[in-house]
Amino acid sequence: MQINGMNIFMGAYAERIKNGLDQRTISISKEKTEEAAAYVEKALHSSVFQNQGVKVSISKEGMDFLCSEEGFQKMKQDGADLFIKNEIQKKENAKGKNPDDPFWENTINQWLVFSEMLYNNGFYTGMTDEEVDQFEDTLAHITYGMDCLSRSQNQYTMQMEFRPVKEKYKFFQSESEAIAGLESSVAALRYLSDRLLPEEHREGFNQLIDKYYQHNNEVLSEYDNPMEAIGRTIAGMHSDKSFFSHRTSEYKYTLRLGMIEKSEQEKKAYRQGLQILFEKMKENGNDTSIWEQIKEYILDYSTDNSNDGGFRNYVYNEAEYLFSHMKNCWSRLFALGMD
């Protein structure tokens, strides 16, 4: 959409809503204006404000302005200014990055890159508003974990989130959790491409998946979970493993995690194992036994194949948000395929 002469894509569904708003005018009767003014006046003088000793008032002229066409246009302009500011910030974030990587300008809204390609190629033509909304919502869920990974780093926090996902997600992910989340999202995107997209859209979409994978691996290579860093520091101070028996279980398990180090070869093997498991998921559907295999595989890797039930439960509880998100993501994806 064009906002103050700048092209900004906020999603195919948002484009449809914006086109409807462009045709909208405001016409409010005198009675409705007075009713709205009374409601606002009551809210402004509620007990909450009174108990805090705060006095707030709004003039009749101000209320009339809020309920007028002029007020509506002012709100639209304020919103446009906010979007322009966000667009400038996105370009600032992408400075010095690979110009062929479109995800640097949308690293906390990565679903937008996929949706914009489909939108520009007519994929959404003929779909209802509800179908467009559902498809983009599924895309947003697929990329959400990687969006959160970027959001935990200061250089990306200034961007706006265009389609919030209402799920709990741990702000600082462990490396093993982040890798699992990335492999899950890539497998889900490939499933979507293979099963849900017309053939004419697959090549471009698959090229974006490759760039998405490369982009998030780069983000992951720069990422250092501060909680893991603290754990490694503490573990280094107490390298004697007999020290564990004298500490509470949570502290003990944090130290144990801090002492586990993985080689690049082990990380590569971990990724490959996850890829095989998600291939099974793509072929067999939302199978409970596969989820159990994924769970045990991640726990084996994260705990260094420990048989300590308490340790494995601790690691699972820390990663429970991830399993919940992945299951929800794949459930949405399979449901989309049944429509």
Side-chain angles (χ1 to χ4, degrees), residues 1-4 6 8 10 18 21 70-87 160 162:
M1 63 185 69
Q2 281 270 337
I3 298 181
N4 289 5
M6 181 178 287
I8 300 177
M10 291 181 281
K18 169 68 164 51
L21 287 175
E70 185 183 0
F72 176 67
Q73 294 301 331
K74 175 66 165 58
M75 285 188 286
K76 283 181 64 177
Q77 185 58 53
D78 288 345
D81 292 342
L82 185 62
F83 289 130
I84 293 294
K85 183 178 180 180
N86 180 67
E87 201 68 14
M160 293 171 60
F162 286 137

Side-chain angles (χ1 to χ4, degrees), residues 124 268 287 317:
Y124 295 110
K268 182 178 180 180
D287 192 306
N317 289 335

Side-chain angles (χ1 to χ4, degrees), residues 195-209:
R195 307 288 182 89
L196 305 177
L197 293 185
E199 188 174 353
E200 64 267 24
H201 297 305
R202 288 177 192 160
E203 182 178 358
F205 197 87
N206 288 338
Q207 289 173 354
L208 284 180
I209 295 174

Side-chain angles (χ1 to χ4, degrees), residues 33 75 81 126 182 190 243 315 325:
T33 300
M75 285 188 286
D81 292 342
L182 176 56
R190 295 204 187 281
F243 178 83
V315 173
H325 167 71

Side-chain angles (χ1 to χ4, degrees), residues 250-276:
E250 183 171 341
Y251 186 49
K252 174 176 67 175
Y253 296 145
T254 300
L255 292 181
R256 286 184 69 171
L257 286 173
M259 287 184 170
I260 295 174
E261 296 182 3
K262 299 292 185 181
S263 67
E264 289 305 315
Q265 185 175 356
E266 287 175 313
K267 293 177 185 178
K268 182 178 180 180
Y270 175 56
R271 289 176 181 275
Q272 292 171 340
L274 287 168
Q275 290 164 10
I276 291 170

Side-chain angles (χ1 to χ4, degrees), residues 37-93:
Y39 181 84
V40 172
E41 188 75 14
K42 181 180 179 181
L44 291 176
H45 292 86
S46 67
S47 60
V48 174
F49 284 114
Q50 290 175 0
N51 290 341
Q52 294 178 351
V54 177
K55 289 187 176 181
V56 184
S57 63
I58 184 168
S59 66
K60 182 179 182 305
E61 292 77 11
M63 193 65 229
D64 290 342
F65 178 74
L66 287 175
C67 296
S68 68
E69 173 66 20
E70 185 183 0
F72 176 67
Q73 294 301 331
K74 175 66 165 58
M75 285 188 286
K76 283 181 64 177
Q77 185 58 53
D78 288 345
D81 292 342
L82 185 62
F83 289 130
I84 293 294
K85 183 178 180 180
N86 180 67
E87 201 68 14
I88 293 171
Q89 181 63 50
K90 283 164 53 178
K91 295 184 184 304
E92 188 67 28
N93 290 341

Side-chain angles (χ1 to χ4, degrees), residues 63-253:
M63 193 65 229
D64 290 342
F65 178 74
L66 287 175
C67 296
S68 68
E69 173 66 20
E70 185 183 0
F72 176 67
Q73 294 301 331
K74 175 66 165 58
M75 285 188 286
K76 283 181 64 177
Q77 185 58 53
D78 288 345
D81 292 342
L82 185 62
F83 289 130
I84 293 294
K85 183 178 180 180
N86 180 67
E87 201 68 14
I88 293 171
Q89 181 63 50
K90 283 164 53 178
K91 295 184 184 304
E92 188 67 28
N93 290 341
K95 275 187 178 178
K97 301 295 186 180
N98 181 0
D100 295 326
D101 179 351
F103 293 97
W104 284 118
E105 285 197 18
N106 281 296
T107 197
I108 69 168
N109 293 288
Q110 295 180 70
W111 66 274
L112 277 175
V113 179
F114 294 103
S115 189
E116 185 171 19
M117 185 280 288
L118 294 173
Y119 178 81
N120 290 337
N121 286 279
F123 171 73
Y124 295 110
T125 303
M127 293 173 67
T128 66
D129 288 353
E130 290 75 16
E131 289 170 336
V132 173
D133 188 34
Q134 183 186 15
F135 188 89
E136 288 194 315
D137 195 52
T138 301
L139 271 179
H141 274 80
I142 290 174
T143 68
Y144 181 61
M146 295 301 99
D147 293 343
C148 289
L149 182 70
S150 289
R151 198 172 294 118
S152 68
Q153 301 183 66
N154 290 333
Q155 62 266 42
Y156 308 124
T157 55
M158 295 303 293
Q159 293 184 41
M160 293 171 60
E161 190 178 4
F162 286 137
R163 185 179 274 270
V165 173
K166 295 180 180 179
E167 279 190 4
K168 291 182 179 179
Y169 215 83
K170 193 161 70 177
F171 192 67
F172 292 122
Q173 306 169 47
S174 72
E175 184 179 44
S176 62
E177 292 164 3
I179 290 174
L182 176 56
E183 295 299 338
S184 173
S185 67
V186 169
L189 287 168
R190 295 204 187 281
Y191 177 91
L192 187 150
S193 177
D194 294 341
R195 307 288 182 89
L196 305 177
L197 293 185
E199 188 174 353
E200 64 267 24
H201 297 305
R202 288 177 192 160
E203 182 178 358
F205 197 87
N206 288 338
Q207 289 173 354
L208 284 180
I209 295 174
D210 292 339
K211 290 183 177 181
Y212 169 86
Y213 192 54
Q214 182 179 358
H215 169 85
N216 286 292
N217 272 315
E218 186 173 346
V219 172
L220 186 53
S221 71
E222 298 173 347
Y223 173 70
D224 190 20
N225 180 342
M227 305 311 294
E228 286 186 320
I230 292 171
R232 289 194 297 270
T233 301
I234 295 173
M237 294 167 60
H238 304 289
S239 56
D240 180 3
K241 295 187 178 181
S242 65
F243 178 83
F244 295 142
S245 61
H246 305 295
R247 299 299 177 209
T248 63
S249 60
E250 183 171 341
Y251 186 49
K252 174 176 67 175
Y253 296 145

